[in-house]
Amino acid sequence: MPGHPAPASTDTAAPDDIRPPTASVAIAFHSGYGHTARQAAAVAAGVDSVAGAAADLRDVTTLDPDLWAALEAADAIVFGSPTYMGATSAAFQQFAEASSTVWAARGWQDKLAAGFTNSAGLNGNKDNALLSMAVLAGQHGMHWISLGLLPGWAYTSTGTPDELNRLGGFLGAMAQSPSDLGPDEAPGDSDLRTAHHLGSRVARTALHFAHGREATAHPAASHLASA
């Protein structure tokens, strides 16, 4: 009696060339006296703390082809500037205006974006600087990532200045550096940890987006991963 044919397998092997998604996060910043550079380094450390993500620090005062190529290659761009006179610095604004060529070509369309800023005052209209960064991202067609933290310190009577997000920002990471302290002493630890949190949050979100792109490109592999 002839044997019955073996049932066809329903398993689909994943393509051999599929690798775990990675994410590149560029930190595009200007620092006048070194305080914002220290904040930028904390953002970068937060990015690098997430497996599969890599940070790329870029000083935007050098508007050369390497800068634009790095930003084009990045999955996410975190903008950073000191808050001077209630706005981003002139150097950062020069970079923002120079990006109009990228804007016209939609070069940053659908990239992720976030922002951070530092000033000597507890307030100093830092929100205005962050808002201008968010508008810049919006004009480029980017997706803005908020800080994602509850406010700390003075929000409750029992809060302390050691808490994350002690300055109570939501749009991005805020830091405060007293005008008589150098960048070796300021911003303080809580502000740097808040910047670190922003970097890790952007990195995780960038990886989520990368996994989504991978699933769209390789639906069979996505099915296996969820089985």
Side-chain angles (χ1 to χ4, degrees), residues 3-43:
H4 295 289
S9 174
T10 57
D11 292 336
T12 303
D16 292 336
D17 61 346
I18 291 180
R19 297 292 183 271
T22 59
S24 170
V25 179
I27 296 97
F29 74 98
H30 166 247
S31 181
Y33 300 95
H35 303 90
T36 309
R38 191 176 180 194
Q39 190 183 16
V43 173

Side-chain angles (χ1 to χ4, degrees), residues 136-147:
L136 172 66
Q139 291 199 351
H140 277 282
M142 304 172 79
H143 304 292
W144 187 262
I145 302 172
S146 65
L147 181 60

